[in-house]
Amino acid sequence: MFNYVKADLYRIFHKRSNQFYWLILAALFLVFTILGSANANFAENKSDLTVMYFSTAVIPLILFGPLIISPQFYYAVYLDELNSKGFVRLFSSGLRKSEYIVAKLISSLVYMIVVFTFLALAYVGGFGILALLNNGAPFFTINQIGLLLSIVAYLGLFTIAFSSLTNLITLKWQSGNIPLFLFFVISNGIMASLIGWINRLPILRNFELSPYLLSTSTGKIQNALTNGTLSSTQPPNAQKALNIINSIGTQPFIIGIYIIVTTIISLFILKHSDIKDN
């Protein structure tokens, strides 16, 4: 299994489209941030530079991370291999289907850690450039770093959870095109909205399904992080950060249960499916 993980990570990290995607994303962020601050004057209060740069990264990361970061992780780890028509050769090499499921989870975690580390280095490097252009500035506070790490952890949990859920369909169809569209539909709450609408029917009105949906749990975490960030222009203090964590409650635990259950179901589906030569 670990040989497959190494081969899988080699495939992911050496694919040009993956490299270009993150390079372009980091470059666009740095260019827009530096150009956007060119006319600002931080001479009197250099801490404003830290707040501006912090907010420029955090707010889009919360609002648009599920749209521009999570789908790329899902496609690179799960779908690209299906599109390369190597699914049959994969299991003919001796890899067990249970090992495949676990290996994909490991590949997802390693890929996310490396990418987020790269984005963090680009983020810190961009701040260093801005600091030099403005004759120095205070660095990030502990609370700012803590909130950034919370958002990164949320995006990682979000990606793995919805990847595992969408993978139930992916493994059954063994196609890499429609599942990517379904990932957007499911992860952005469109499917949950449809279920909520169906739940209004008289026959189902007594059964409240919303609290048990994955989108509900991830939505509560996103709302907590968003409210904690957008409610003030100043960095969150220790008490505010604690309130954000407390408001999240047991949602990460519920999402973890989703990951475990969908992983088990994925194994069952894969074991009882014929591997197609795409």
Side-chain angles (χ1 to χ4, degrees):
M1 181 181 73
F2 290 104
N3 288 332
Y4 171 69
V5 171
K6 290 190 293 184
D8 198 31
L9 292 173
Y10 181 89
R11 172 188 64 81
I12 293 170
F13 286 120
H14 284 77
K15 191 172 180 63
R16 294 294 184 187
S17 60
N18 295 337
Q19 298 172 358
F20 286 144
Y21 187 87
W22 299 116
L23 285 172
I24 291 172
L25 194 64
L28 286 175
F29 167 75
L30 295 177
V31 168
F32 284 125
T33 303
I34 293 173
L35 291 179
S37 62
N39 297 324
N41 185 7
F42 301 103
E44 295 182 359
N45 189 1
K46 289 186 171 59
S47 63
D48 288 344
L49 176 62
T50 305
V51 175
M52 181 278 296
Y53 192 72
F54 174 74
S55 301
T56 304
V58 167
I59 295 174
L61 199 60
I62 295 174
L63 298 178
F64 302 112
L67 290 173
I68 62 176
I69 291 180
S70 298
Q72 205 284 334
F73 283 140
Y74 177 62
Y75 180 84
V77 174
Y78 286 97
L79 304 185
D80 189 44
E81 192 169 50
L82 287 172
N83 288 335
S84 65
K85 301 181 180 180
F87 216 43
V88 173
R89 293 192 301 272
L90 179 64
F91 294 106
S92 62
S93 65
L95 182 71
R96 294 189 182 95
K97 294 178 178 180
S98 58
E99 292 176 335
Y100 170 82
I101 299 294
V102 176
K104 283 302 182 183
L105 289 175
I106 296 174
S107 296
S108 296
L109 287 172
V110 174
Y111 183 45
M112 281 190 286
I113 290 172
V114 173
V115 169
F116 279 127
T117 301
F118 164 74
L119 294 178
L121 292 174
Y123 180 72
V124 173
F127 185 81
I129 294 173
L130 280 182
L132 291 174
L133 293 176
N134 290 275
N135 300 316
F139 213 68
F140 305 109
T141 66
I142 296 298
N143 290 325
Q144 287 174 325
I145 295 174
L147 184 55
L148 276 170
L149 291 176
S150 298
I151 296 171
V152 168
Y154 157 71
L155 286 175
L157 194 62
F158 178 96
T159 302
I160 293 177
F162 281 106
S163 295
S164 299
L165 184 58
T166 312
N167 214 34
L168 298 178
I169 302 171
T170 304
L171 293 175
K172 187 63 179 178
W173 288 354
Q174 297 177 29
S175 170
N177 296 318
I178 296 179
L180 182 60
F181 170 74
L182 291 176
F183 182 88
F184 278 99
V185 170
I186 296 172
S187 64
N188 288 286
I190 299 175
M191 187 66 69
S193 298
L194 178 61
I195 293 175
W197 181 81
I198 296 174
N199 201 188
R200 297 177 183 176
L201 296 175
I203 193 172
L204 298 174
R205 191 170 295 170
N206 294 328
F207 301 94
E208 183 59 43
L209 300 177
S210 178
Y212 307 103
L213 299 178
L214 181 57
S215 296
T216 303
S217 295
T218 56
K220 288 182 178 179
I221 297 178
Q222 187 179 36
N223 289 337
L225 295 171
T226 302
N227 293 335
T229 303
L230 299 181
S231 60
S232 174
T233 57
Q234 298 298 319
N237 54 38
Q239 185 59 49
K240 190 171 184 179
L242 183 61
N243 291 337
I244 294 174
I245 295 175
N246 288 338
S247 68
I248 291 175
T250 60
Q251 303 307 317
F253 176 75
I254 296 174
I255 297 173
I257 293 177
Y258 258 94
I259 294 174
I260 294 173
V261 172
T262 52
T263 299
I264 294 173
I265 296 175
S266 294
L267 178 59
F268 178 82
I269 290 175
L270 190 58
K271 278 190 172 183
H272 292 81
S273 298
D274 294 329
I275 304 302
K276 303 174 184 176
D277 188 357
N278 296 315

